[in-house]
Amino acid sequence: MPSSTENNTQPWFERRPLVALAPMEAVTDCAYRRIARSIAPNAVLYTEFVPARGLLAGAAKVWEMAHFEEMERPIVIQLYDSVPEALGDAVAAVREKYQPDGFDLNMGCPMRKVANRGAGCGMMATPDIAVDSVRRMVENANGIPVSVKTRLGIRKRDEVVDLARACIDAGAEQITIHARLKAERPREAADWTALSSAACKLRVPIIGNGDIWTVSDALKMNSLEGIDGVMIARGGIGNPWLLQRCCQAIADEAIDPLPDREEKARVAKMHLRANVELKGERRGVLELRKIVRNYIKGHIDSRRTWMRIIETITLTDTLKVLDDFARGPDDSQ
Ligand SMILES: Cc1cc2nc3c(=O)[nH]c(=O)nc-3n(C[C@H](O)[C@H](O)[C@H](O)COP(=O)(O)O)c2cc1C
């Protein structure tokens, strides 16, 4: 089995172990992806979902969402829209400018403002549009692989099979399945049995997604029949070490110890600085608060530290709170 730090050159989805940080709006931006890459050299990274027509309109904020640094590779840019032509044109425009390692079509977002307009999970209800979208993306990708991230279904847990087969026939080279139905909330358990059953019926690499919180969750999902890799979303927010530990476990290598509070503070500070560099001080500090809360979880003074964090608005003060946290008692388990 290849080492989890080996620098592979094959298409991103042929890497083994195949561990991905999920696309997450307002989380997996360039700042966090840089942090994730520094901790997990071999994980696959995704951008947050990017609206195709926003790119075509030339919106600077939208182009910023698609921008990445070379060190982030392998990086997949995820797009969403309900208009196949727009998706195809956006792929051409982004490909010319950035040459990412992959383009992914979001067919799983259940948010009303997205799905009710026929994009995201809404596209599962219109297979012809889904297939046309994939076909146009593939036509314009010039050999860069196109993949799809979707759910088990809208109402039934096997709807994904026919849809994914049609997308594969249209040129999709990889499918990620989030093991929930459209209306299922994140607190409801992901259905890994239905996930494996669908994955077994598809002939391209399948990444499983839903409820990976620990290394043993990742090992278990990775060993399901039909599953080639795992994608981690909420479990990886403010916890980039989980990605690396999962890569190591799946590659059967020695697993890094859990980070202690000094390491957590070091990386949270790095993340904070990167966010401020990208977004300016006020936005950079305020937007990162919730994520910093995840970094500092699980310690005797987590709550006290969080209370101080929500009272600070400057970079210097927030860094100071994190320095104090780093000097706290050694209470790691
Ligand atoms: C804050 C947040 C933002 C998300 N944004 C996206 C997104 O932009 N694109 C996408 O395909 N899924 C998005 N998702 C869904 C996740 O990628 C993932 O499918 C879902 O959270 C299930 O995985 P988990 O159980 O590991 O959290 C988002 C999830 C969260 C929590």
Side-chain angles (χ1 to χ4, degrees), residues 10-204:
Q10 76 266 46
W12 65 266
F13 49 80
E14 282 175 15
R15 291 173 164 239
R16 298 293 179 274
L18 179 52
V19 175
L21 175 63
M24 282 184 278
E25 185 188 19
V27 177
T28 54
D29 55 12
C30 196
Y32 189 45
R33 295 193 309 262
R34 269 152 53 183
I35 301 301
R37 173 60 69 235
S38 72
I39 304 282
N42 209 33
V44 176
L45 305 179
Y46 283 67
T47 63
E48 42 194 327
F49 68 166
V50 183
R53 274 174 289 176
L55 289 167
L56 297 175
K61 271 203 166 167
V62 179
W63 276 96
E64 191 186 302
M65 292 163 83
H67 172 260
F68 61 89
E69 305 278 333
E70 278 303 300
M71 58 93 78
E72 294 175 35
R73 292 184 185 278
I75 173 98
V76 179
I77 296 189
Q78 190 189 60
L79 300 176
Y80 76 98
D81 211 294
S82 57
V83 179
E85 293 84 349
L87 285 159
D89 290 349
V91 162
V94 173
R95 186 205 75 218
E96 219 159 85
K97 196 161 175 187
Y98 294 143
Q99 289 282 324
D101 299 287
F103 287 105
D104 187 71
L105 176 57
N106 181 312
M107 245 183 249
C109 178
M111 284 192 293
R112 261 185 237 145
K113 66 176 182 184
V114 175
N116 286 1
R117 293 181 184 159
C121 207
M123 207 177 244
M124 290 192 87
T126 54
D128 291 349
I129 293 179
V131 165
D132 194 21
S133 300
V134 171
R135 195 175 49 77
R136 286 172 190 268
M137 288 173 73
V138 171
E139 272 169 13
N140 285 351
N142 211 12
I144 295 176
V146 172
S147 56
V148 171
K149 177 170 179 279
T150 185
R151 292 190 174 226
L152 292 173
I154 295 180
R155 278 180 212 86
K156 294 205 319 235
R157 294 180 185 278
D158 60 357
E159 281 169 43
V160 65
V161 175
D162 285 344
L163 179 75
R165 280 183 179 147
C167 290
I168 293 165
D169 288 345
E173 294 189 60
Q174 185 278 327
I175 306 284
T176 298
I177 304 175
H178 174 187
R180 291 188 174 89
L181 293 173
K182 179 180 176 219
E184 284 178 323
R185 299 298 86 184
R187 64 174 177 277
E188 295 176 66
D191 184 344
W192 290 12
T193 306
L195 166 68
S196 173
S197 160
C200 287
K201 297 183 180 111
L202 300 169
R203 62 178 164 85
V204 297

Side-chain angles (χ1 to χ4, degrees), residues 31 34-35 269-279:
R34 269 152 53 183
I35 301 301
K269 282 164 58 183
M270 220 160 77
H271 193 169
L272 196 60
R273 286 199 187 95
N275 216 43
V276 165
E277 194 185 303
L278 279 174
K279 301 171 190 170

Side-chain angles (χ1 to χ4, degrees), residues 233-262:
R234 290 165 299 162
I237 301 179
N239 186 6
W241 303 276
L242 180 62
L243 292 169
Q244 175 64 353
R245 286 162 45 82
C246 291
C247 285
Q248 291 166 329
I250 293 171
D252 213 9
E253 293 173 359
I255 304 172
D256 288 348
L258 286 166
D260 58 17
R261 58 166 69 226
E262 266 182 57

